[in-house]
Every structure is written in structure tokens, then in C-alpha cells.
Amino acid sequence: MTGLDRNSVRRTAVLAGAALIVGLLPLASAGTAAAADPDPVPVDRFEGEVPFASQPAEGLFTWGGDADDPPELTLAERSDAPEGTKVLAGDYDISGYGGFTHDYAADRPGHDWSAHKGIRFWWDGQDNGKKTAFEIKDGGANGEASELWTTSFTDDFTGWKQIEIPFGDFTYRTDYQPVGGIDQVLGLTQMWGYAVTLPVGAPGRFAMDDVELYGKADQSLRASVTTDAAVYPVKEGGTASVKVSVATTGSAPIDEPVTVAYESAGGTAESGKDYTPVKGEITFPAGTESGASRTVRVPTLRDRTAEAAETVPLKLTVTGAKAPAETPQVVIDAHGLPYLDAKLPVKKRVADLLSRMSLAEKAGQMTQAERGAIGAGGDIAAYDLGSLLSGGGSTPTPNTPAAWAKMIDGYQLRAQATRFQIPLIYGVDAVHGHNNLAGATVMPHNIGIGATRDPALAERTGAVTAAEVRATGVPWDFAPCLCVTRDERWGRSYESFGEDPALVESMETVVQGLQGDRSGKDLKDDDRVLATAKHFVGDGGTAYGSSTTGSYTVDQGVTKVSRQELEAVHLAPFQEAVDRGVGTVMPSYSSLDLGDGQGPVKMHARGDMINGVLKDRMGFDGFVISDWNAIDQLPGDYAAHVRTSVNAGVDMMMVPYGYKEFSATLIDEAKAGRVTDRRIDDAVARILAQKFRLGLFEKPYADTGGASAIGSTAHRAVARQAAAESQVLLKNAGSVLPLKKSQKVYVAGSNADDIGNQTGGWTITWQGSSGNITPGTTILQGMRKAGGDVTYSKDASASTAGYDVGVVVVGETPYAEGVGDVGNGNDLELTAADKAAVDKVCAAMKCAVLIVSGRPQLIGDRLGDVDALVASWLPGTEGDGVADVLYGRRAFTGQLPVTWPKSESQLPINVGDTSYDPQFPYGWGLTTLTTVPGGGTASLRALALVAAAAERAGADTVARTAVTKARLLVQQKIGTAVTAASAKPFADADHLLLTGRYADAVAKLTQAYRAG
């Protein structure tokens, strides 16, 4: 007998049994059920109708935490298949997480499942007692940008069993993006498929068949009652209006009546004294259109007494539909208390508010959660949370300025339900523009800003970033990074302005761009944000191989330095930041070893540095925010993590998904006396002071007046200038650059036409990604817009005949933090494809090679074949700026912010090293459109006299011009024949220039000239 015949016999038997059972039932019941239930709708039969494919096509695909975790899937013929002849079968051995997904095609509309009761499928039980997660995908743009709704079933049976899951059993997943970004309602009208997450820990196998929708949806499943908000703040004496609506999936009218009984009850307000009690019932008759609403009004009473906020819950009892997820609350605003008086000094407002707060409220202010962890936001008031953040890639859906503002306003509304209505302070990593927001102006990363040597421009980039960030309702930026990068194998090296602390200090004008005046008086403005100096201290000095985190090699490692080197190199930029009034400081994940016998100690535990140096010696009066889950890296149990970090001086803890545990533990530690009241009061006072300075108590909600300027022409013009000034011309034999518009230009290389590669990590998502991820202009597009006669062949496979010059744009793909560490799957070599493109183009014609990367790439073996070489860094969204210098609209003026090595074995290599023999020294940068001084040593002597006289007179601009002329003169002589004898004094000269020792700088350049 064939498998098909056996299936037919089995199904015939099942149907016969079912018919017998139906025959025993009362006739009316059987007839009603048959008429009411729609036919099942197949989702997956596993007969080959759905291919193994991923988005945007419809298909089945696997995924997992690492290379071993995705299961192996097959469409296997089985004689016992519950439906058809094939089943989906697989083997798995998962250590982290893994499973498979069926996504519908992203280029077609989502499916409507709203007519059905639930989803079911056959599962071949192994009786292993393990739980398997089953998820469905709702809303959003496609299956990979949708909400996940999850449930699970236990494999406690043997053989085939049909698993039926009513849609009402699914719960919203709060640990998956886009959490909070669509509507957190299982609408069922825009479904994108399902996913199965398999058990971990031991090898296993599974088989599955016939996924389908079944049953008729109950009205209570497809109809719901909602209110237009969860919180209704109202001034004392005012009336709150609570809008109650009924809605259905698919927007069909309701077919049964829905009643909503309401009653004001409970809460902290006193009935009859603080408000007039209300009680009644609303009826939505059968046939009522979806979206219909009624209003319940709750009057409050004026008692002329200064007091904290009071709550009036409006209890709703719903019949015939799903009730709201939570009880709406009317909140009578706090009033008459000194801390609410904006005319009082900040110090007095802080003291008054602090004196009124409970320990739990203080612990809440010291707690920061990730938006993805708090669901609809009820925990904001429940835990008195002081802060939320968006981690890299944690964005609303759609990822628009309006959606950001709406999301954050919703969270701020939740904070109004707390006793003192202390607003949240919301933070983001806007490290090169509002980089999480699609369509924002993305600046060059800091390494490129350092290359500009232009403090005024750095300040302007900060101002643009601040304006775009604040316009979306975000008042706090986790930037700038003031690390001094000392080893370009570090995956965060592009977040640094450079390897010289003097260069980093000079770029700290960005703090004023973000915050405005050093006094903090501008922070309340709608185009300023609170800045964060990070990562305190020494994260740029971690030694290769010292990382304490996973497969990282450099990031989060150990910085082993003397106290003298720590002061001179790593601490100096933080003193500058404190002097500039920076509002917050973030400690580093890394450890510090000062050779004092303590060994490496994590920075989040170093009270000597946070309390002793930063707060006491430097006079920092802002607050210290931890890095993401950083306290989990401290020794001891969780209570030890909390008390150690808080006692070390960390004021607010970034505990994205562990906010409940942190708050509870801090309270316990305080009650036990292991964290003092004084320490907690100091932390909370610092946090409240910045909230007052930001004007959040008066204006907690987004001021979107500046939203129209996000990504505007004016803002992009600043980014374009920064991109142009960041370009460092390392070689220019035969004056290949600038290009002429009359030339026929052959463009090739992986990074010529890729906005994702061009913007790098921390763009839209934490790690960034290749491709068309945000609006902008690629380098290729910029060249075409500049009027160039350009032909493009990414891999240089097109014919190279007939061109005047080639431009090959090569380099890195995006990464962030330790993921990008050399040795963690990365190196400093060009890819094989990039090398092939360089070789082919440069063999056929004069060529310029542009390296788009977060750090130097090893190019020495090809340097002789390349006519012009440009370090383009990560220029951001404005490729026009790169084209501006390529075509001579602007001169090349950038200088190396880090030393360019000859080989990886030279690393670390930095200005000031005793042994120093790089490919190109720190400070190197040729220019175009400028006449280079001649005259050799005679000119250098004259320039030395000018520099010395200007230095004595305090004429910095004149002195700097003299040093620049001397530098250009020296570079022209040295050319590409850089030697150790010329490189060291050349690099030293740029450090001396940055520290205002202009005469000494020219003397060093003269030494380099003679050596060259």
C-alpha cells in the first residue's frame, strides 16, 4: 500500500469516527457549529508550495545565535503524514537560540487572519518534556519588521498530535524589535507568518505538518474596548475627559452589543474631597461601527492646598469585547509645591523635591530601562523610573521624527502618574548625528571630525545633532566619546577624535554644540541636549588580547598605564569636558591597572577615579550614568554589583532589562546600610538638577517645532563640509587629484555606492549594515552630481579601455564596539575583491584609491602602483562632500588623526613613541588648490621667526598659519619616502601645534625636512 493510500485510509477512519460522534450530539448543536465555523485556511502544507527562501520573497528560513544553532530542515516524505505526503522535518543542536520562520512575501499585503479563532498544526511528539515556542507576526512593514506574539507548547506526548492555539493565548514579546513601535495590539488583519523557536541544550529532532487557521473568531477576540490614553493629567479643579472606544479587527461593525460599566474607585485621591465620583454604563449596540466612542468625564475639586499628584482610577467592566489592558487613571496634578516653581534656583528646587521623596522613588530616579523592556509603559509609574533609553537600533515603527516624538510623549505621560510627576530623561546614542533615525543628517564619525582639525566645524556638527535629536523629544545624548585611541585594532577606534589627547581636547567644542553655554543655561532650549563624556577613563588604551568579554580582543579589556600616562593621555580630555560644563559622564567597560598592586579593576568599581578624581578633584557636578549592563561585569553577586558601583560614584544605572531587580536590590542595600542615604541623595540630586536645567518639569513633551529641519539642506550642508574637510590626501603623484570634469572617470570598488558602508556602525542599528539603509548621497552619486563623466563597475569587471583616470573606493563594512576588534573575525587588510579592483584599475590607468574605513588599512604593498591615496574615513550621508574635494570644489585640507602603520605588527603605534616608523605619520595630509611654499631651509627659518613672534604675542591664527606652511613645505620634500628619521619629528610637530608651542613645532618640522 502506498503512503497516499495509507493516509486515505487513516483520514477515512478519522472522518468516520467524527461522523459517529456528531451523530450522537443534539441536532441543533451540530447544525449550529457547522454553520458557524468557517473552513480551515492553510498556512503551510509542506508539500513544496512554500520554498526555502527569505525576505523579501515568501519562504521558510532558519536562524540562530551562532553558526551551529540554525536547525537543518527538509521536506520529508512520510507515510504517516497527517496531511498530504510530506512533512517539515529537522534536526537541531542549539546552544544559544535557534529555529525557523515562515514569512509571507514582503512585497505583497499582509494576510487577514481576523475571521478565525486560532492557528493549529500537527507536531510529532518525542515526549521529551521540553517547551517549544510558537510565535505569530503582526503589523509592520513585513515579517522581519513586525511585532512578535508568542506562546509555547510542551512536548509531553508521543507521535502526531494536533496543537490548537487560540489567538487569545498569544502574548506580546517585549524583548524583540520593534517593541512598542507598532501598536502592541494583535490586530490579526496584517499577519506576516509564524516562527518556531526550538529547545536548547541537547540534540533533538522534530517533524511538523499542516499549519492552518481554524474556527470562528469570538467577538471578544476581534472586538476590543480601548481608551485614548492610560493617564489623564488634569489641573486641580479641572475635568478629565476619558474617551472610551470600541474597535474590531478588520473594522467590521460589532454584531453583538458591548457594554462598558465604569466607576471611579480607589487611588490616592479622596472621593468627594478631591473629585466628584462617577458611575455609569455605556452601551454600544449591535451594528455599531468600529471606532465609535463615548466620553466619560471625571470632575476634580479645588481645595487650595499645596500637594503632590493624586490618582483616580476609572474602573471599566466590559461585556462582549476585550477589556482595556489596564485601568485608565485620572491624575490631579501636583501643585503649589516649591520644586514646581520655575523661578526658584535649581539648587532650592532640588532640595525641596528630594526632601519629599521616599527611598523607592529615589531608587527609581537612579534606574534607567530600555524602552523595549517596558511594554506599554505601566512600569514607568510602578517603579518611579527616572530614565529610558533607546539602545542602538531601538526605534519606533515607523522610524520617523513624528513616531519618535509620539513614543517619547507617551512615556512622559506615564511619568505624570507618579506622586511628584518627575519627568523622564530619555537618552540615545547619537554619536554622529541622530544616527538611529532614518532620514537624519549623519555626520562623519569622530575619527573623521578629528581629521578636519576644525574645532568650529566640530561645534557646528554638534549643534546640528542636538537640534535633530531634541526635535524628536530626546533631551539627552550619549556623546561625545572622548577616548584617546592608542591601538587601531580596537573596534571603537573610529569613535575617537584621534590618538593625541591634545587633538581630542581641541575637538571638545562639540560639547558646546550639543549643550550650548558652559553654564547650562541653554539646555532648556528646543535645539540643545545634555551631552555625555565617555568612556571614563582609558578605554582607548586597552591592550590587545586583554578583553574580558567573549570573543572581543581589545574592547572592554585592560588599560595598564602609569599614573603619569593616565593623567597625560586619558584623563586630560575629561578635565576639558568638565571645564566645558558637560552634563553627564559614562564610565568605561574596561579595567584600569595602575601598577599599584590592585591589579585590573573595572572602571564601574573605581571609586578612586569616579568619586576621587572626576567628582572631587575635577569638580564634576553632573551625574554619572553606567554603560549598558556594565555592573554585571563586576565581581560578586548582584547585590555586590549594585553597592560597589553606586558607592564608587555611579549615579544612574543603565540596566536595560533588569530595572526591577536593580531598583529592589538598591532599596535592600540602602535599608541594610551598605549604601548610605547620603550617597543616594547625592546621586538623585545630581540627576534632578539636570532635569530642572533641561526644563523638563515645565516642558516634558516633545517640542517638534524643529522637526522640519531634520535632514534639511542646511543641516546636510554642515555634514557635507565635515565630510570634505575630513578627507586626508596621503599621496598625489602627478597631481592626479583634483579630477577635471572633462575627464572620463572609471569608478570601481565595494564602497563607491554604498551608503551603509559609508556611514559605518551606529547607523540605524548598533552594528550598522551595508546597503541603502538611510537617505543620503553615496560617493559615486556625489561624483555624478558634481558633473563628472563617470562610469561605474563595482568589481571592475567592465572594460577599462578609454578612460583618463580611475577612482577605486574600497575599505571596510560596518561594525561597532568589540565586534569590530581585529582578531575577532576582522583584520586591517582590504578584501580580495577590493584588492583585485585596485590592481586592475591601477594597472590600466592613472588611479586614485579612496579608503572608506573606521581606521587605517594596510596598503603599503600596493602604494607604488597607486597614484593618489585618500583616507576617507566614514564620511556619513553626504558623499557630495567627498566629491567636492575630488573635483576641486574644495581643497584637501584633512590631516591624519592617527598614525597610519606599515604593518599590523607595528601596532600599537602612536605619536610620541620612541620607536616610530609608520607608512604615514600622525598629522600627515597633503593639500590641493594651494601653493606650497618653496625656499627650503631659508623659508623654514623665516617661518620659525614668525611662529615665535606670534606665540609671544598670543596671535594664534598667525602662528598656526606659519606652522601649516612649514608642514606643507616639509611634506612636499618628503613625498612618499617617509622614513623613521623624518616621521617622528613630523608627528611631534603636530602635537606641539595643538598645544600652542608653535616655535617648537616649526623646529621639529625643520628637523623632519633635514631628515627627509
Side-chain angles (χ1 to χ4, degrees):
M1 185 180 291
T2 67
L4 181 59
D5 291 335
R6 279 196 293 269
N7 285 337
S8 299
V9 170
R10 185 177 65 255
R11 282 198 297 275
T12 300
V14 170
L15 290 171
L20 177 61
I21 293 169
V22 170
L24 296 175
L25 295 173
L27 184 60
S29 298
T32 302
D37 284 355
D39 293 334
V41 174
V43 176
D44 242 336
R45 298 180 60 239
F46 303 118
E47 300 299 310
E49 78 282 5
V50 176
F52 290 107
S54 56
Q55 297 282 274
E58 178 175 8
L60 290 158
F61 61 94
T62 62
W63 37 265
D66 57 42
D68 297 329
D69 283 353
E72 297 288 336
L73 300 184
T74 60
L75 294 177
E77 292 206 16
R78 289 264 299 254
S79 60
D80 63 344
E83 193 277 336
T85 62
K86 296 179 182 178
V87 302
L88 181 70
D91 297 300
Y92 60 87
D93 185 3
I94 301 167
S95 58
Y97 63 89
F100 59 91
T101 292
H102 174 185
D103 275 353
Y104 292 135
D107 58 355
R108 300 175 192 174
H111 293 209
D112 187 346
W113 293 1
S114 63
H116 293 272
K117 179 179 182 179
I119 190 167
R120 66 189 180 192
F121 51 88
W122 290 88
W123 191 265
D124 187 13
Q126 308 299 310
D127 197 18
N128 56 25
K130 295 187 174 182
K131 286 189 174 182
T132 296
F134 189 86
E135 295 157 334
I136 55 177
K137 304 187 169 196
D138 168 46
N142 56 63
E144 295 308 290
S146 61
E147 295 176 343
L148 279 186
W149 293 75
T150 186
T151 188
S152 65
F153 63 92
T154 302
D155 187 344
D156 55 3
F157 54 91
T158 302
W160 289 106
K161 178 180 178 180
Q162 192 171 46
I163 309 293
E164 289 194 343
I165 308 174
F167 290 130
D169 287 359
F170 287 92
T171 58
Y172 183 71
R173 260 189 71 172
T174 60
D175 61 340
Y176 176 78
Q177 295 298 327
V179 289
I182 300 174
D183 57 12
Q184 298 181 34
V185 175
L186 182 55
L188 297 172
T189 58
Q190 191 178 16
M191 303 302 293
W192 293 103
Y194 65 88
V196 175
T197 302
L198 294 164
V200 302
R205 61 184 177 85
F206 76 93
M208 182 182 188
D209 199 15
D210 193 24
V211 184
E212 64 181 14
L213 310 176
Y214 75 95
K216 179 186 177 183
D218 297 331
Q219 177 164 291
S220 61
L221 251 181
R222 64 183 185 84
S224 59
V225 169
T226 60
T227 57
D228 56 330
V231 178
Y232 296 84
V234 60
K235 293 187 183 303
E236 186 187 51
T239 297
S241 298
V242 180
K243 185 177 178 183
V244 180
S245 303
V246 64
T248 62
T249 54
S251 298
I254 56 175
D255 48 22
E256 299 172 16
V258 173
T259 60
V260 183
Y262 60 86
E263 181 180 7
S264 55
T268 58
E270 186 177 337
S271 177
K273 176 186 176 186
D274 296 312
Y275 68 97
T276 302
V278 297
K279 184 176 182 179
E281 185 175 275
I282 296 168
T283 299
F284 295 96
T288 298
E289 293 294 325
S290 178
S293 63
R294 307 283 188 272
T295 299
V296 176
R297 290 180 172 82
V298 182
T300 69
L301 303 173
R302 189 182 299 277
D303 61 13
R304 303 183 184 279
T305 302
E307 54 193 345
E310 298 170 306
T311 58
V312 186
L314 186 65
K315 183 181 178 183
L316 303 178
T317 304
V318 178
T319 304
K322 186 183 295 184
E326 57 187 306
T327 299
Q329 290 193 82
V330 173
V331 179
I332 305 171
D333 287 339
H335 55 278
L337 300 174
Y339 78 89
L340 294 168
D341 186 353
K343 296 177 182 177
L344 289 178
V346 166
K347 192 171 182 178
K348 285 190 176 182
R349 298 179 75 183
V350 169
D352 177 68
L353 178 52
L354 193 63
S355 70
R356 301 174 186 278
M357 296 171 68
S358 68
L359 175 58
E361 288 165 330
K362 292 173 183 177
Q365 286 302 301
M366 295 172 68
T367 307
Q368 183 183 66
E370 151 64 38
R371 59 173 281 278
I374 61 164
D379 279 354
I380 292 171
Y383 291 88
D384 293 290
L385 294 179
S387 181
L388 294 180
L389 83 151
S390 280
S394 179
T395 63
T397 301
N399 188 1
T400 63
W404 274 88
K406 180 180 178 181
M407 174 184 74
I408 294 168
D409 282 356
Y411 295 144
Q412 290 288 17
L413 180 64
R414 294 287 189 160
Q416 294 298 299
T418 60
R419 193 161 61 121
F420 298 113
Q421 298 182 303
I422 303 173
L424 296 163
I425 180 169
Y426 199 101
V428 297
D429 285 281
V431 298
H432 62 142
H434 197 355
N435 42 255
N436 281 309
L437 171 64
T441 307
V442 179
M443 302 291 171
H445 269 294
N446 282 356
I447 196 81
I449 299 297
T452 69
R453 298 299 200 280
D454 190 339
L457 179 58
E459 182 171 350
R460 290 175 64 204
T461 65
V464 168
T465 298
E468 297 198 359
V469 168
R470 194 71 182 257
T472 59
V474 178
W476 184 14
D477 185 2
F478 304 133
C481 185
L482 302 183
C483 52
V484 181
T485 178
R486 305 294 283 178
D487 188 337
E488 277 59 63
R489 290 171 293 188
W490 186 33
R492 300 194 83 139
S493 55
Y494 64 75
E495 293 188 55
S496 172
F497 292 113
E499 70 186 33
D500 182 353
L503 175 57
V504 175
E505 289 177 63
S506 73
M507 293 294 113
E508 290 186 53
T509 49
V510 71
V511 172
Q512 262 57 68
L514 294 167
Q515 292 194 171
D517 191 82
R518 297 178 187 223
S519 68
K521 69 180 181 65
D522 298 333
L523 284 171
K524 62 183 182 299
D525 294 348
D526 63 2
D527 60 353
R528 299 295 182 184
V529 294
L530 198 67
T532 307
K534 64 183 189 182
H535 303 92
F536 185 82
V537 59
D539 54 335
T542 50
Y544 187 86
S546 69
S547 180
T548 58
T549 301
S551 58
Y552 295 5
T553 58
V554 185
D555 192 38
Q556 303 183 25
V558 179
T559 300
K560 188 170 184 177
V561 290
S562 66
R563 284 195 174 272
Q564 182 180 8
E565 185 178 351
L566 179 72
E567 293 282 350
V569 176
H570 300 290
L571 275 172
F574 286 92
Q575 182 65 69
E576 175 71 16
V578 171
D579 292 344
R580 287 182 174 276
V582 74
T584 62
V585 170
M586 182 183 291
S588 175
Y589 281 116
S590 58
S591 302
L592 186 61
D593 185 349
L594 295 175
D596 53 7
Q598 293 188 68
V601 178
K602 285 283 183 181
M603 277 305 308
H604 282 75
R606 295 217 60 141
D608 61 327
M609 300 303 300
I610 300 173
N611 285 326
V613 174
L614 177 65
K615 291 182 175 180
D616 294 343
R617 194 189 84 190
M618 291 184 176
F620 174 63
D621 64 359
F623 70 88
V624 175
I625 169 72
S626 86
D627 211 332
W628 179 285
N629 277 337
I631 65 170
D632 290 349
Q633 297 187 7
L634 302 184
D637 60 14
Y638 192 71
H641 299 169
V642 171
R643 66 174 172 267
T644 299
S645 53
V646 172
N647 286 335
V650 182
D651 302 306
M652 181 184 285
M653 220 62 67
M654 189 186 292
V655 279
Y657 294 91
Y659 59 92
K660 297 177 186 178
E661 184 182 12
F662 169 76
S663 180
T665 304
L666 178 57
I667 291 169
D668 289 344
E669 291 297 294
K671 287 180 177 178
R674 290 185 288 268
V675 177
T676 66
D677 293 344
R678 182 179 179 182
R679 172 67 196 105
I680 288 176
D681 283 355
D682 173 62
V684 177
R686 289 168 176 270
I687 294 163
L688 293 176
Q690 298 297 9
K691 290 185 176 184
F692 282 122
R693 288 177 183 129
L694 284 161
L696 294 177
F697 281 81
E698 290 71 48
K699 294 174 61 178
Y701 303 113
D703 183 339
T704 58
S708 61
I710 294 173
S712 65
T713 301
H715 285 186
R716 290 182 184 273
V718 176
R720 177 175 182 167
Q721 181 182 348
E725 291 191 25
S726 73
Q727 303 299 293
V728 180
L729 184 58
L730 300 172
K731 178 182 178 181
N732 195 23
S735 297
V736 168
L737 296 177
L739 303 171
K740 300 177 180 63
K741 293 181 182 179
S742 60
Q743 290 176 308
K744 292 187 66 177
V745 182
Y746 185 102
V747 178
S750 61
N751 286 350
D753 194 32
D754 193 309
I755 201 75
N757 291 355
Q758 186 176 304
T759 50
W762 290 108
T763 308
I764 306 302
T765 58
W766 173 41
Q767 291 293 317
S769 59
S770 301
N772 188 24
I773 62 172
T774 192
T777 303
T778 67
I779 293 171
L780 175 68
Q781 291 167 340
M783 293 176 69
R784 285 175 169 159
K785 287 169 66 177
D789 183 354
V790 172
T791 297
Y792 175 57
S793 175
K794 181 175 180 179
D795 60 358
S797 59
S799 172
T800 55
Y803 292 92
D804 299 308
V805 63
V807 174
V808 191
V809 189
V810 296
E812 295 184 305
T813 53
Y815 54 81
E817 299 191 34
V819 176
D821 283 352
V822 167
N824 188 21
N826 303 281
D827 56 38
L828 299 179
E829 297 281 348
L830 299 180
T831 65
D834 277 348
K835 288 178 180 178
V838 170
D839 291 346
K840 182 173 180 181
V841 174
C842 292
M845 64 193 81
K846 291 181 179 178
C847 72
V849 173
L850 276 61
I851 300 179
V852 173
S853 64
R855 55 197 169 192
Q857 303 291 284
L858 303 176
I859 194 74
D861 57 344
R862 284 172 168 76
L863 189 57
D865 301 320
V866 172
D867 297 291
L869 180 65
V870 179
S872 288
W873 309 114
L874 297 168
T877 50
E878 306 314 300
D880 285 324
V882 181
D884 285 341
V885 292
L886 290 178
Y887 276 98
R889 185 174 181 270
R890 290 181 180 270
F892 275 96
T893 56
Q895 295 176 247
L896 283 182
V898 294
T899 301
W900 198 283
K902 290 180 177 177
S903 67
E904 191 176 315
S905 63
Q906 286 186 313
L907 296 172
I909 183 171
N910 295 288
V911 57
D913 287 353
T914 303
S915 177
Y916 190 74
D917 186 20
Q919 191 83 66
F920 297 102
Y922 169 78
W924 187 267
L926 305 175
T927 191
T928 53
L929 311 182
T930 300
T931 301
V932 177
T937 55
S939 292
L940 289 170
R941 284 194 296 271
L943 290 168
L945 292 172
V946 172
E951 184 179 336
R952 287 191 299 271
D956 287 350
T957 302
V958 174
R960 287 175 179 275
T961 300
V963 177
T964 298
K965 288 182 177 180
R967 179 176 61 83
L968 296 177
L969 190 159
V970 172
Q971 283 181 158
Q972 185 175 60
K973 182 188 180 188
I974 294 174
T976 56
V978 178
T979 64
S982 61
K984 182 170 175 51
F986 185 94
D988 290 343
D990 201 60
H991 171 74
L992 292 166
L993 168 66
L994 288 163
T995 55
R997 295 154 66 188
Y998 306 118
D1000 290 344
V1002 177
K1004 284 289 184 180
L1005 287 168
T1006 303
Q1007 183 182 339
Y1009 182 88
R1010 289 170 177 156

